[in-house]
């Protein structure tokens, strides 16, 4: 193996730059050349790439976003896309491709593997944490702290005005971020897929009961996106009407994707990236994702990273429900 390609794909996540840095440094230690493709898989189709040296990754560990840019790639999903991408990789003599992204990006890897003769390895990079085969994804810890910072500020104004707030956090189809942000911000309610569908009447009753028990006070609901089809503002309005108390909506949105990665994300990214290169060199990483489970580094089949077997913390789910609903 002489030359590896790397790219960041899908929703960017804080810590992707830390991963790029560690991939380049580890590769160069093993005399491997690193080619960075820009804009996710699009960089392969558009031949948008550059050789990355140790100099290129100097002082990027603390930067949010990704120096390679990220994107989703429609072309890879077209019938002839994987073949075209594989041809470009062969022409550029890329012996292995490392993809930093979520399960959607890994599905792209699987499609590519039908035609590409090199090794394909994944690194879990998404704020959603919804990737099987690793306890945490690169970016989740930072997004959690960012959400907490925002919710703590909302608590100040909510307390001052004795208001109810509905805060929507990201996490497509999954509640990892909502559950963690809700627990750590002492939210009165958490709405996420793990707790099932929303019952507006139930929620409104709970707000009223809370106000009777604790005086008016502030009441914060943390909700995972996609839990209410008409969006947080519509739900807040419905709750205002049914509970008889003013409920305001705040959608945290993309600010959760930005910012300097926290230490945990920098370390996870560094560790998984170094491990991925070592496993590639040992010939064990093809069609695998590098992850960490229960403190152990390991490889997990890329094909099954999106099966959603990873469970949210059932202990905390039960604690929240039993303790705050009394
Ligand atoms: O997968 C990461 C993520 O931020 C999700 O939480 C969110 O649903 C989605 O990406 C948003 O995608 P986009 O940036 O394309 O709107």
């Amino acid at each position: 193996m002489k030359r590896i390609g790397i790219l960041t794909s899908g929703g960017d996540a804080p810590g992707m730059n830390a991963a790029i840095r560690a991939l380049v440094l580890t590769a160069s230690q093993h005399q491997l050349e690193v080619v960075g493709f820009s804009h996710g898989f699009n960089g392969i189709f558009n031949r948008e790439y550059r050789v990355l040296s140790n100099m290129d990754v100097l002082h990027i560990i603390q930067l949010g976003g990704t120096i390679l840019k990220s994107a989703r790639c429609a072309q890879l999903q077209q019938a002839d896309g994987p073949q075209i991408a594989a041809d470009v990789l062969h022409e550029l003599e890329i012996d292995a491709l490392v993809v930093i992204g979520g399960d959607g990006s890994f599905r792209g890897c699987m499609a590519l593997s039908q035609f590409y003769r090199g090794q394909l390895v994944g690194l879990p990079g998404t704020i959603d944490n919804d990737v099987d085969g690793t306890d945490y994804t690169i970016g989740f810890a930072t997004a959690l702290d960012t959400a907490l910072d925002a919710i703590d500020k909302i608590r100040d104004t909510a307390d001052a005005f004795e208001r109810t707030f509905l805060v929507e956090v990201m996490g497509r189809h999954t509640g990892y971020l909502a559950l963690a942000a809700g627990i750590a911000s002492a939210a009165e309610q958490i709405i996420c897929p793990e707790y099932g569908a929303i019952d507006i009447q139930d929620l409104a009753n709970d707000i009223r009961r809370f106000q009777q028990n604790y005086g008016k006070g502030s009441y914060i609901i943390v909700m995972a996106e996609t839990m209410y089809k008409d969006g947080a503002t519509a739900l807040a309005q419905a709750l205002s009407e049914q509970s008889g108390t003013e409920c305001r909506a705040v959608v945290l949105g993309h600010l959760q994707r930005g910012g300097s990665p926290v230490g945990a994300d920098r370390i996870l990214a560094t560790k998984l990236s170094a491990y991925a290169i070592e496993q590639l060199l040992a010939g064990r990483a093809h069609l695998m994702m590098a992850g960490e489970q229960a403190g152990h580094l390991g490889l997990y089949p890329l094909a099954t990273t999106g099966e959603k077997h990873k469970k949210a913390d059932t202990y905390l789910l039960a604690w929240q429900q039993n303790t705050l609903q009394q």
Side-chain angles (χ1 to χ4, degrees):
M1 200 163 62
K2 291 200 182 77
R3 206 170 197 222
I4 65 165
I6 68 173
L7 58 86
T8 47
S9 165
D12 51 283
M16 281 183 162
N17 281 325
I20 294 168
R21 169 181 178 269
L23 286 170
V24 170
L25 295 184
T26 314
S28 99
Q29 184 199 348
H30 294 282
Q31 286 77 49
L32 293 173
E33 187 175 56
V34 178
V35 172
F37 291 96
S38 303
H39 304 107
F41 288 98
N42 298 297
I44 301 176
F45 291 99
N46 302 333
R47 293 180 157 73
E48 212 188 333
Y49 61 88
R50 62 192 149 122
V51 171
L52 294 172
S53 70
N54 289 1
M55 274 295 281
D56 293 311
V57 296
L58 208 59
H59 309 152
I60 66 166
I61 198 168
Q62 74 276 25
L63 303 179
T66 154
I67 61 162
L68 290 176
K69 313 283 180 195
S70 193
R72 300 194 169 86
C73 179
Q75 216 176 334
L76 191 61
Q77 287 168 30
Q78 283 164 13
D80 58 352
Q83 173 77 76
I84 296 171
D87 289 347
V88 176
L89 292 172
H90 294 149
E91 184 194 309
L92 297 177
E93 298 181 340
I94 303 289
D95 300 312
L97 182 69
V98 182
V99 173
I100 311 166
D103 61 324
S105 308
F106 300 156
R107 275 192 293 283
C109 290
M110 294 311 297
L112 189 56
S113 72
Q114 295 170 278
F115 304 98
Y116 177 50
R117 292 188 295 272
Q119 297 187 67
L120 281 158
V121 61
L123 288 175
T126 165
I127 65 163
D128 296 348
N129 199 28
D130 59 342
V131 177
D132 286 342
T134 190
D135 292 343
Y136 294 105
T137 54
I138 298 162
F140 174 72
T142 306
L144 171 58
D145 279 3
T146 302
L148 281 180
D149 185 52
I151 299 169
D152 288 349
K153 288 177 173 140
I154 292 166
R155 177 69 78 184
D156 290 344
T157 176
D159 260 345
F161 265 75
E162 301 189 313
R163 269 179 177 150
T164 298
F165 272 85
L166 174 65
V167 185
E168 183 188 289
V169 298
M170 275 188 166
R172 197 179 348 213
H173 314 307
T174 52
Y176 298 102
L177 199 49
L179 178 64
I183 296 279
S185 64
E188 279 65 35
Q189 270 287 355
I190 301 172
I191 301 175
C192 60
E194 290 75 4
Y195 284 132
I198 300 173
D199 181 328
I200 297 181
Q201 195 53 59
D202 243 26
L203 260 177
N205 291 343
D206 200 69
I207 295 170
R208 269 201 301 268
R209 196 173 55 236
F210 178 87
Q211 290 178 341
Q212 276 155 17
N213 292 347
Y214 291 92
K216 207 163 175 300
S218 61
Y219 188 99
I220 291 185
I221 306 166
V222 173
M223 176 173 84
E225 62 174 339
T226 71
M227 283 302 291
Y228 192 67
K229 66 174 180 11
D230 297 330
T233 308
L235 178 59
Q237 199 173 336
L239 280 174
S240 299
E241 282 157 19
Q242 300 215 21
S243 68
T245 185
E246 187 183 17
C247 177
R248 297 281 179 102
V250 177
V251 177
L252 295 188
H254 288 81
L255 75 83
Q256 295 159 100
R257 291 234 296 252
S260 179
V262 298
D265 277 329
R266 300 182 196 192
I267 290 166
L268 181 66
T270 302
K271 209 194 244 185
L272 295 185
S273 303
Y275 180 70
I277 297 286
E278 283 164 15
Q279 294 301 307
L280 268 178
L281 284 164
R284 286 192 284 262
H286 182 44
L287 294 183
M288 303 297 266
M289 181 198 77
E292 188 174 41
Q293 291 180 289
H296 296 287
L297 288 169
L299 295 169
Y300 194 84
L302 275 183
T304 56
T305 49
E307 290 184 354
K308 310 269 183 281
H309 292 308
K310 187 163 73 176
K311 294 274 169 274
D313 190 326
T314 48
Y315 185 83
L316 279 177
L317 277 168
W319 180 84
Q320 170 80 10
Q321 202 155 40
N322 299 334
T323 314
L324 295 191
Q325 309 301 298
Q326 57 197 346

